[in-house]
Amino acid sequence: YFNTPDHKIELTELGVTQAKQAGQQLNDLLTTNYSEVHVFNSGYARTIQTQTHALAQLKSNRTYSIQSFSEDRKSTRLN
């Protein structure tokens, strides 16, 4: 956190794997009655990357909307 602000820290390789698995599980849970998915994220780099990898696992007949709740974030260092 000393060199990179929290909101700019990227997803780890493990995080990418977990995001893909979550997307596969989400796809399996959604029935044919649910063709539209609404996605919300905090605007942090890793949440956007998580949604990208997860949504890539959804069947192509699904549509989704994305809303990002990003604020003007400033890096703060606790002493």
Side-chain angles (χ1 to χ4, degrees):
Y1 297 115
F2 290 105
N3 296 323
T4 305
D6 188 46
H7 67 281
K8 290 187 177 183
I9 295 174
E10 297 200 359
L11 203 56
T12 64
E13 287 184 39
L14 175 61
V16 170
T17 299
Q18 291 172 333
K20 289 177 180 179
Q21 290 171 344
Q24 290 168 351
Q25 291 174 356
L26 178 62
N27 192 63
D28 292 344
L29 288 171
L30 295 173
T31 66
T32 55
N33 295 331
Y34 296 97
S35 62
E36 187 173 335
V37 178
H38 300 277
V39 180
F40 300 88
N41 70 59
S42 68
Y44 278 35
R46 61 189 175 276
T47 64
I48 295 168
Q49 292 167 342
T50 297
Q51 89 181 11
T52 299
H53 291 293
L55 292 177
Q57 306 306 309
L58 298 183
K59 291 181 180 174
S60 61
N61 63 337
R62 300 199 194 283
T63 59
Y64 49 86
S65 63
I66 298 171
Q67 177 138 11
S68 181
F69 293 98
S70 59
E71 302 170 7
D72 182 19
R73 294 185 168 89
K74 296 180 181 177
S75 175
T76 57
R77 185 179 296 181
L78 300 175
N79 294 330

